[in-house]
Amino acid sequence: MDAAEDKDIKLQRASEDLLSEFQDRLPKFLWRSPSATQIQAASNLHRPRRTVRQSDTDRLIQLLEPFQEWPQLLDPHLANLVPPLIAAYLDYLGTHGHRYRSTAGVLLIDSIPLPRAICRLLYTLCKVRGEKVVSRFFNNEPRYLEPMLDAFQKWNMTETSTEGNIPVKHGPLIWEERYIMLLWLSHLLLAPFDLASISTVCDVEQADITSSGLSLPSALPGIARRIVPICFKYVVAASKEREAATKLLVRLALRPDMRRAGLLDSLVLWALSSLESRSNDDSFISIYGHAGVLSFLAGTLVSAEKEAIAPFIPKIFQTLQRINSEQSALSQDIRSSALARKIVIKILRATAILVLQRSPSLADAQQLESTSMLLEEVIEHLLSALADKDTPVRYAASKALSVVALSLDLSMASEVVEAVLGSLEEDVLWEDPMSGLAIPNNEVGTIQTATLKRNLTAVNPLRWQGLVLTLAHLLFRRSPPPEMLPSILNALLLGLAFEQRASTGSSFGTNVRDAACFGIWALSRRYTTKELLAVDTAQIRAANVRTQAMNIPQILAIELVVAASIDPSGNIRRGSSAALQELIGRHPDTVLEGIPLVQVVDYHAVARRSRAVIAVAVGSAKLHDVYGTALFIGLLGWRGIGAPDAESRRLAATAIGVLGVFRGHDGIASSTKSITNELHSLQLGEVEQRHGLLLALAAIVVNVTELSAQQSAEASSVRSLAVLANLWNVFDTVPSLSEKALTSSVLRPELTAEASCCLVSSLARASTVLYRERTMLPRPSERSISKCIETLSLSLLRTEDNVVTCASTAAQDLFAVMNLSKRIELVRAWISILTVDQASPMGGAGKGFGYLAALGSVFKCFPADPSGNVTPEQEAIIHTLVTRAGLQVEVESRVAAIRSLGSGVLESGVLNAKIMNALSAALDDYTTDQRGDVGSLVRIQGIDAVRIAWRNGVLVQDEDKRGLLASVCRLAAEKLDKVRFRAWSCIEEILGQECFAVVLTDISQISLHEYFLQLLSLMSENWLRLPVLEGYVTSAGVGSESLLRASRLALVDYLGVVSDDHRILNICNDLTELLRRNLASDRLAIPLLEVLGFLFDAGILQQLDDGSFNFYALIQKAHFKSGSVHKLEAAVKLYAGLAEVASTSQEAVMKLAGMLLHPFPKIRNAAADALYVLHKNDTLKMEDWSRPAKELRDCVEALKGEIAVAARETQKNFNAILRLN
């Protein structure tokens, strides 16, 4: 619905870079670099490559693909893009054509022939910009016709062959190549010379085409005889080359020399015969074969001269009639294909136009009863095709009908328009909102339509799209006379607001509205201002806002502004903006504030839904009240508060609130009354409308309150607020706001709860402001407050985040208008509910989130104690929240409790020992379940609570500040990205960004080497060393691959800053101390062992003195009787590192030797690998350590002896080295 950035603008900005890169890459891609000898000889400076890399081709295609969003951006550059491709292709044809399929000299595995790459690029350009535009740049010299034909036949051979002893790698042509080559051949057939003059003698076998029933004329030149079989082969293909083959066959048949030779007659008769019965050739049974034959007939009728094709028109029309009426298998196959139906429409259109041209030669060709009968049947078929289930068929039928109407005389064209308008009036109903009666459109003329509401639920949306699109095409060709504009305008305005939804919620009205935008644009472009002003506005019943003083351009402008601002489809908003610009530009001085209106309803401004609904709608309303009124009416409909998605209704409600302020007191009063009346008329099941209407009332109250607070006590402001005071009765008088609406799961109670809480909050806030500052309005009655409390209590039972947020805010605002005794009573009731829930086996699972949030939000609503201490009620709230934040409660409740402590209690400046303990426990919550590390949700809320405490100045004690900050620093180094980012943001706020060299603003930055290096700088403070390192080892020990690389590199850089081993020793001692504290916790013990093992692998710990290695016993304790393979593997790595240290070498080696009999095969293999690296014993390498331990015992005992001897020798060497040092 909302895009991060307008795609068109983004593409326009990037287009220059894309095209520049394409043009820079293209010469090197196509041509070889000349050698020094060639440069000296000044020859072969531009020699095409024989093969290119497929990856390079794909990269060039990727540079062109984005232009599908805006193809016209390519137009200025096509003259520089296509000719080099054409030139390289033709040069390849002359130099390497005979080696197309050979692999001689080809070294790259992913190489493809240069023509294949060029054809893929040319096809991409054709796909983006269209073949008609791109083919204009093809070379059309007749001398390339036969070489191109030779290449096509030779390169497209399917049999495997060799060229001497050279193997064949590149197979036959791919479909992109065939498509481009066939398209190019059709372009080369534009040669003005007879083909016989440029054809060589060539005998072509007829086996390829005789089975299709075609007999070629004997006088055909060799080129034609070679082209026809190729076309016959691909005219029935299921891929894109069918279009090119059909175009080539049409181009060949319509050449003057081919017509004289009788080829056109033969091909037309063949096409007609193939449509009368199935051919024996299986290829013609396919629907693509029928489509290819029909495409040939359509192309022939469109491109041929009248005299040449006239004799076949009756036969072609009769064949199509038979296809449309018969129940044969062939006819049913054709009618079942949308592609075939579309081509049939194109043939009928061409047939009708040829008949209407009344050529003299047609007199002998007429075999139908009359021209009028043919036209009637064509028009009838086109009208019925407007309701086709496939959109391309409807598009073709609407365009064909407008083209045929343009060729008719004025009276017959008017009849076509009347037929379209008559079809649009079918099944249109007008509904009386008071009685609920539906009145047919043809009976509404004698009834006042001001109180009636359009009802288009009975119409066929597909047919409506075809009919409205037909009207648009007719208007674009100016076929309807000005006298018919009132009926056409009614139809267009109905189409502009058309919407139907399926039971699944999908929309069927977007295409209709899009066609209506095109129709209004065409109307504005083709009809003069005088003709539009002459239309009687009283006949325009479909307009939402209409007065006697308005003219047609003004009515159209109002409807277009509404569509451009609030339509849910971005295409419709943009189409309406374009139509509005055309209307105001073509008919100046007919629309109120025309030029400013075009500037506000900008084509790019309406692209984003949120910007269109808020900024564009409000900007239009500021220009004139007539636009504001129309927008308000539109926002009350299906495009606003009746939208199917909740976010659209929220946007619409916000817009209604802002619009209400600009419309003044009368506008606020009428808006409130309209919304309230709609609310009272809703049924219980109309959930979406109720949600939108309640949000709209809340938005009006909020905006009026803010405006009143900014102004002095003006009479208009007071009157506006007095109107809103009656809204307190909504909860008691609206039938659909019952308890069932807030509890029944069928009625989606979360929507009603959210909207009700928003309305309660806005009314309470407004009443509070008024009561304290101006005392202009009375307090709400006790009954109103009681009803609001009931609604609020039911809403607090919900668990959805948006409902909980709205309900807690409503509770805080409602407490401001309640007396103290009522507040105490309600808080005690909520605490009692939470206490009962906590006593349940699951600790109130799924319940209490709303009450926890409400308790936090109302904490500050109790008067402060004179001594500065918290009141008993506040103490009870703190106790309840702290209790619910305990580990014995489910994670979701802990998250809600910590959030309430932060947003409610800490925001009020209260911090005691209970809260400190709860925050410390939250920051150290590592609960896991089947969902994973769910404790991270609690830790994040704890970090946010610490930040709130710092902002409100309650962290005054150094001990409290240090304890919480140390925990946050630990979390800033842990392995979860979201936790690290939130913790680092908190650190920056507490310590100040100026303390750090790099300021981090994005979550992707906290996984970089620079971040971890900056984090390690915090270890300069002794009280932060262990916390930072405790979190750091989780990233450097068991994090993701990228996290491991970044954190370990930063650790190595940090330890390598100084030349002595003082820092290394401190890190080693800190890691040892952390391991001693967390021996029983695998969450920390495993990463600690991994980090120590990594420091050995990196050669860092070996720099220490022998006396520094005092953690051998700790390692043994860490994995003693452990079943964790990961921990045991980490221990093996550490033993391997200790084996390189003199003081622990012998013990570590023997420990590894003992682990060769470990119960886990994976550990036995790891120990064997470590020992082999140390002592290079071949037995360790050759033995299968996956065998059972019992079978390995004798081998291990022998190895132990050998390893013990080697270990003693190693120890002697260490001692000798130490003596020398």
Side-chain angles (χ1 to χ4, degrees):
M1 185 176 68
D2 264 354
E5 187 177 354
D6 193 335
K7 288 184 178 180
D8 288 350
I9 296 178
K10 189 175 181 179
L11 175 60
Q12 189 175 15
R13 292 172 179 169
S15 61
E16 290 297 330
D17 293 335
L18 293 174
L19 292 172
S20 177
E21 182 179 352
F22 185 91
Q23 292 178 358
D24 289 343
R25 288 173 174 265
L26 192 59
K28 296 179 181 178
F29 177 79
L30 297 175
W31 310 98
R32 290 182 177 275
S33 299
S35 62
T37 305
Q38 291 173 337
I39 294 176
Q40 293 177 358
S43 63
N44 293 327
L45 296 182
H46 284 83
R47 186 176 179 85
R49 295 185 181 273
R50 184 182 159 204
T51 60
V52 294
R53 298 173 68 100
Q54 186 159 338
S55 57
D56 295 339
T57 309
D58 293 338
R59 174 55 186 162
L60 290 175
I61 291 175
Q62 290 173 3
L63 295 175
L64 297 175
E65 291 282 0
F67 289 94
Q68 291 188 77
E69 296 287 339
W70 198 342
Q72 289 77 12
L73 291 174
L74 283 177
D75 287 352
H77 306 276
L78 285 177
N80 298 324
L81 299 180
V82 181
L85 295 172
I86 300 299
Y89 192 99
L90 294 176
D91 281 359
Y92 179 97
L93 203 63
T95 57
H96 301 303
H98 60 288
R99 304 172 64 191
Y100 174 85
R101 306 181 67 181
S102 172
T103 58
V106 178
L107 301 178
L108 299 177
I109 298 177
D110 67 338
S111 64
I112 59 175
L114 180 64
R116 182 168 299 178
I118 292 176
C119 288
R120 290 187 62 196
L121 292 171
L122 289 174
Y123 169 73
T124 303
L125 288 170
C126 290
K127 178 179 66 174
V128 172
R129 191 60 189 94
E131 65 178 41
K132 292 182 180 179
V133 176
V134 176
S135 62
R136 295 201 305 260
F137 297 94
F138 287 179
N139 188 297
N140 60 354
E141 297 180 59
R143 63 191 177 101
Y144 290 113
L145 180 56
E146 280 203 326
M148 183 72 70
L149 194 55
D150 292 339
F152 186 93
Q153 292 180 320
K154 182 178 180 181
W155 296 350
N156 201 36
M157 291 188 300
T158 56
E159 67 276 4
T160 303
S161 62
T162 57
E163 299 178 5
N165 295 324
I166 301 176
V168 172
K169 174 186 177 182
H170 305 298
L173 300 174
I174 62 174
W175 67 269
E176 289 102 333
E177 289 181 279
R178 292 194 293 267
Y179 172 77
I180 292 298
M181 294 184 76
L182 290 173
L183 193 65
W184 200 341
L185 284 171
S186 68
H187 192 66
L188 290 170
L189 283 180
L190 293 173
F193 315 108
D194 287 351
L195 294 182
S197 64
I198 57 177
S199 296
T200 60
V201 178
C202 180
D203 295 329
V204 180
E205 297 181 1
Q206 300 298 311
D208 294 330
I209 58 176
T210 52
S211 59
S212 63
L214 174 64
S215 177
L216 291 179
S218 59
L220 285 183
I223 288 180
R225 289 181 176 274
R226 296 168 65 187
I227 289 178
V228 171
I230 294 175
C231 293
F232 268 55
K233 181 178 180 180
Y234 293 106
V235 81
V236 298
S239 53
K240 188 74 174 177
E241 59 258 45
R242 181 186 65 254
E243 300 177 10
T246 303
K247 187 172 184 179
L248 175 59
L249 191 61
V250 171
R251 187 70 56 82
L252 177 66
L254 294 182
R255 286 181 57 87
D257 54 339
M258 295 297 101
R259 281 165 36 202
R260 291 193 299 268
L263 181 60
L264 176 61
D265 297 351
S266 300
L267 290 175
V268 171
L269 292 175
W270 158 79
L272 294 175
S273 64
S274 65
L275 293 174
E276 291 177 355
S277 62
R278 291 195 184 275
S279 171
N280 294 327
D281 188 357
D282 291 341
S283 62
F284 283 85
I285 298 177
S286 168
I287 186 59
Y288 301 106
H290 304 323
V293 173
L294 290 171
S295 296
F296 168 73
L297 288 177
T300 303
L301 286 170
V302 171
S303 304
E305 297 179 1
K306 297 184 294 293
E307 292 78 6
I309 200 64
F312 302 103
I313 290 179
K315 183 67 173 176
I316 292 174
F317 185 73
Q318 290 172 1
T319 302
L320 294 184
Q321 280 185 313
R322 187 162 47 250
I323 290 173
N324 292 328
S325 59
E326 284 185 353
Q327 298 301 318
S328 64
L330 184 143
S331 299
Q332 290 179 356
D333 285 349
I334 294 177
R335 292 199 300 268
S336 66
S337 169
L339 175 61
R341 296 198 303 274
K342 176 183 175 182
I343 301 171
V344 166
I345 289 174
K346 188 175 181 181
I347 295 174
L348 290 175
R349 182 190 74 184
T351 302
I353 293 174
L354 287 172
V355 169
L356 286 171
Q357 290 176 351
R358 301 182 183 276
S359 173
S361 61
L362 288 177
D364 298 335
Q366 283 292 348
Q367 297 177 3
L368 301 176
E369 293 182 0
S370 65
T371 301
S372 60
M373 181 180 295
L374 183 147
L375 293 175
E376 288 176 3
E377 293 184 4
V378 170
I379 293 174
E380 181 181 357
H381 179 84
L382 295 178
L383 286 172
S384 63
L386 294 177
D388 195 276
K389 64 179 181 179
D390 294 296
T391 302
V393 180
R394 297 195 299 274
Y395 282 169
S398 61
K399 183 177 181 180
L401 203 54
S402 65
V403 172
V404 171
L406 184 64
S407 301
L408 296 172
D409 55 41
L410 185 59
S411 60
M412 292 188 67
S414 299
E415 292 179 4
V416 173
V417 179
E418 289 175 357
V420 175
L421 292 173
S423 300
L424 284 168
E425 292 178 357
E426 297 175 3
D427 300 326
V428 176
L429 305 176
W430 289 82
E431 184 178 343
D432 188 352
M434 303 300 295
S435 63
L437 296 177
I439 305 171
N441 195 43
N442 55 2
E443 299 178 9
V444 79
T446 59
I447 304 176
Q448 294 293 330
T449 60
T451 60
L452 298 182
K453 184 179 180 181
R454 295 190 301 272
N455 187 335
L456 301 178
T457 56
V459 303
N460 182 355
L462 302 181
R463 188 184 187 200
W464 257 66
Q465 191 236 349
L467 292 169
V468 175
L469 188 60
T470 302
L471 276 182
H473 280 294
L474 290 168
L475 290 170
F476 183 72
R477 291 170 173 82
R478 213 181 187 281
S479 294
E483 294 78 17
M484 304 185 71
L485 288 182
S487 300
I488 294 175
L489 286 167
N490 275 315
L492 292 178
L493 293 179
L494 284 172
L496 191 61
F498 183 90
E499 175 67 357
Q500 277 191 14
R501 294 195 192 121
S503 57
T504 58
S506 57
S507 173
F508 289 121
T510 305
N511 286 340
V512 180
R513 301 197 300 275
D514 184 63
C517 290
F518 175 39
I520 296 176
W521 178 87
L523 177 73
S524 305
R525 189 177 184 87
R526 296 302 183 188
Y527 290 83
T528 64
T529 304
K530 183 178 179 180
E531 290 171 335
L532 294 182
L533 294 177
V535 177
D536 184 10
T537 56
Q539 301 181 49
I540 312 301
R541 299 188 301 244
N544 289 315
V545 177
R546 172 173 54 85
T547 63
Q548 293 295 330
M550 288 186 183
N551 52 44
I552 292 301
Q554 182 63 59
I555 293 175
L556 291 175
I558 293 172
E559 298 295 331
L560 289 173
V561 167
V562 173
S565 300
I566 65 176
D567 196 280
S569 172
N571 287 339
I572 307 306
R573 294 195 300 272
R574 286 186 154 186
S576 300
S577 174
L580 179 66
Q581 182 177 356
E582 190 72 19
L583 176 69
I584 294 175
R586 296 278 180 175
H587 309 284
D589 302 326
T590 59
V591 176
L592 294 171
E593 304 293 337
I595 300 302
L597 187 64
V598 170
Q599 294 172 341
V600 171
V601 191
D602 181 67
Y603 182 81
H604 296 293
V606 300
R608 296 187 65 187
R609 178 84 187 276
S610 58
R611 183 169 54 193
V613 174
I614 305 298
V616 176
V618 173
S620 303
K622 288 180 180 179
L623 296 177
H624 200 278
D625 184 60
V626 69
Y627 303 119
T629 303
L631 285 166
F632 176 77
I633 295 174
L635 287 168
L636 289 182
W638 64 269
R639 292 179 285 197
I641 58 175
D645 60 298
E647 188 58 34
S648 296
R649 295 194 294 273
R650 296 186 186 105
L651 284 174
T654 304
I656 288 175
V658 178
L659 287 175
V661 173
F662 290 112
R663 299 177 67 199
H665 166 71
D666 295 334
I668 294 172
S670 63
S671 301
T672 306
K673 182 179 179 181
S674 299
I675 296 174
T676 307
N677 291 338
E678 289 278 348
L679 198 58
H680 280 81
S681 64
L682 291 180
Q683 301 297 320
L684 186 62
E686 296 179 296
V687 180
E688 288 82 4
Q689 290 84 345
R690 180 166 59 248
H691 177 247
L693 290 169
L694 289 173
L695 289 177
L697 286 177
I700 291 177
V701 174
V702 168
N703 283 276
V704 173
T705 304
E706 292 177 354
L707 180 65
S708 302
Q710 296 171 3
Q711 298 175 347
S712 58
E714 299 177 357
S716 60
S717 176
V718 176
R719 289 169 58 202
S720 299
L721 290 165
V723 170
L724 302 179
N726 295 325
L727 294 179
W728 281 108
N729 300 323
V730 166
F731 301 97
D732 195 22
T733 59
V734 175
S736 60
L737 284 177
S738 61
E739 180 179 349
K740 186 176 181 181
L742 291 165
T743 55
S744 176
S745 59
V746 178
L747 298 176
R748 301 178 65 189
E750 67 276 5
L751 297 178
T752 304
E754 175 198 355
S756 300
C757 291
C758 288
L759 182 57
V760 170
S761 177
S762 61
L763 288 172
R765 198 175 304 158
S767 299
T768 304
V769 172
L770 296 175
Y771 185 74
R772 289 180 179 175
E773 296 183 2
R774 302 177 184 169
T775 63
M776 298 178 185
L777 290 180
R779 287 184 57 201
S781 64
E782 291 298 324
R783 179 177 176 81
S784 297
I785 292 178
S786 298
K787 290 295 295 182
C788 290
I789 291 175
E790 292 178 13
T791 301
L792 181 61
S793 299
L794 292 173
S795 300
L796 290 174
L797 294 173
R798 307 301 308 171
T799 58
E800 295 81 9
D801 289 341
N802 58 336
V803 179
V804 170
T805 302
C806 294
S808 59
T809 304
Q812 179 181 349
D813 294 331
L814 188 60
F815 264 50
V817 296
M818 294 166 55
N819 55 46
L820 182 59
S821 61
K822 193 71 174 179
R823 298 179 192 177
I824 296 174
E825 177 186 353
L826 192 55
V827 165
R828 289 177 178 175
W830 291 348
I831 292 176
S832 176
I833 293 173
L834 289 173
T835 304
V836 173
D837 284 343
Q838 188 176 353
S840 64
M842 291 296 294
K847 299 180 181 178
F849 302 159
Y851 291 112
L852 290 171
L855 286 176
S857 64
V858 303
F859 182 86
K860 63 183 70 173
C861 295
F862 292 91
D865 189 272
S867 61
N869 299 323
V870 297
T871 62
E873 290 74 25
Q874 290 177 323
E875 183 62 36
I877 291 174
I878 293 174
H879 176 74
T880 302
L881 294 178
V882 170
T883 302
R884 297 290 287 194
L887 292 176
Q888 69 276 13
V889 186
E890 63 169 351
V891 170
E892 287 76 8
S893 292
R894 298 206 298 272
V895 171
I898 297 296
R899 184 187 294 121
S900 295
L901 282 173
S903 60
V905 180
L906 294 176
E907 282 277 5
S908 303
V910 177
L911 179 65
N912 56 27
K914 291 183 179 179
I915 301 175
M916 281 291 301
N917 292 335
L919 292 181
S920 298
L923 294 173
D924 199 30
D925 193 322
Y926 288 92
T927 305
T928 58
D929 60 11
Q930 66 273 16
R931 294 172 292 177
D933 185 6
V934 292
S936 63
L937 302 174
V938 184
R939 300 199 297 275
I940 289 174
Q941 289 303 323
I943 294 169
D944 291 342
V946 172
R947 179 184 293 186
I948 293 172
W950 172 259
R951 289 175 180 173
N952 289 273
V954 295
L955 290 178
V956 293
Q957 299 292 332
D958 287 343
E959 183 178 355
D960 295 342
K961 178 181 176 181
R962 285 192 172 191
L964 293 178
L965 185 57
S967 297
V968 174
C969 290
R970 167 174 52 81
L971 296 178
E974 77 160 54
K975 63 180 180 179
L976 290 183
D977 292 353
K978 58 182 180 180
V979 179
R980 286 203 312 280
F981 181 70
R982 196 72 66 92
W984 183 258
S985 301
C986 181
I987 292 172
E988 282 187 332
E989 185 169 340
I990 294 176
L991 299 181
Q993 292 184 349
E994 63 276 2
C995 297
F996 305 101
V998 181
V999 177
L1000 306 176
T1001 59
D1002 188 77
I1003 193 172
S1004 62
Q1005 296 176 294
I1006 49 89
S1007 297
L1008 301 177
H1009 162 261
E1010 292 79 6
Y1011 169 76
F1012 287 104
L1013 199 59
Q1014 185 166 266
L1015 187 64
L1016 288 171
S1017 66
L1018 296 175
M1019 294 179 63
S1020 58
E1021 298 290 337
N1022 290 330
W1023 57 279
L1024 286 178
R1025 291 186 60 83
L1026 289 181
V1028 171
L1029 202 55
E1030 181 180 338
Y1032 200 94
V1033 294
T1034 62
S1035 294
V1038 291
S1040 62
E1041 185 65 29
S1042 59
L1043 198 62
L1044 285 175
R1045 287 197 299 266
S1047 57
R1048 289 182 174 183
L1049 177 61
L1051 182 59
V1052 171
D1053 290 345
Y1054 174 75
L1055 295 176
V1057 171
V1058 293
S1059 57
D1060 60 2
D1061 56 2
H1062 178 70
R1063 179 174 290 185
I1064 300 175
L1065 179 60
N1066 288 338
I1067 288 287
C1068 182
N1069 291 334
D1070 291 339
L1071 292 172
T1072 305
E1073 178 62 25
L1074 287 174
L1075 183 60
R1076 181 178 293 107
R1077 294 181 183 180
N1078 298 280
L1079 283 175
S1081 173
D1082 283 357
R1083 184 185 66 82
L1084 286 175
I1086 293 175
L1088 282 166
L1089 294 174
E1090 287 282 0
V1091 171
L1092 284 169
F1094 163 72
L1095 294 177
F1096 272 117
D1097 290 341
I1100 293 176
L1101 292 185
Q1102 289 88 333
Q1103 303 176 27
L1104 298 177
D1105 296 333
D1106 282 355
S1108 304
F1109 298 98
N1110 55 0
F1111 47 82
Y1112 179 82
L1114 282 177
I1115 299 173
Q1116 287 183 306
K1117 290 180 181 180
H1119 71 85
F1120 180 68
K1121 292 185 178 180
S1122 174
S1124 171
V1125 175
H1126 193 175
K1127 181 186 285 188
L1128 291 166
E1129 287 181 324
V1132 169
K1133 295 177 185 177
L1134 267 177
Y1135 287 134
L1138 290 172
E1140 299 177 1
V1141 179
S1143 60
T1144 59
S1145 173
Q1146 192 169 356
E1147 292 177 326
V1149 169
M1150 296 310 298
K1151 184 64 179 178
L1152 286 173
M1155 296 181 80
L1156 291 174
L1157 294 176
H1158 196 277
F1160 296 162
K1162 195 171 184 179
I1163 304 305
R1164 296 199 297 270
N1165 278 297
D1169 292 342
L1171 286 171
Y1172 180 77
V1173 172
L1174 292 170
H1175 296 290
K1176 300 296 187 295
N1177 192 311
D1178 291 337
T1179 305
L1180 293 167
K1181 181 174 66 172
M1182 303 303 295
E1183 184 61 53
D1184 182 9
W1185 297 103
S1186 61
R1187 291 193 299 153
K1190 293 181 179 180
E1191 299 179 9
L1192 297 172
R1193 189 173 302 277
D1194 294 339
C1195 177
V1196 171
E1197 292 299 328
L1199 280 172
K1200 281 184 177 180
E1202 298 176 13
I1203 292 173
V1205 173
R1208 285 194 293 270
E1209 291 296 326
T1210 303
Q1211 187 66 46
K1212 290 180 181 179
N1213 294 334
F1214 278 133
N1215 294 335
I1217 294 173
L1218 290 174
R1219 285 194 298 271
L1220 291 175
N1221 292 334

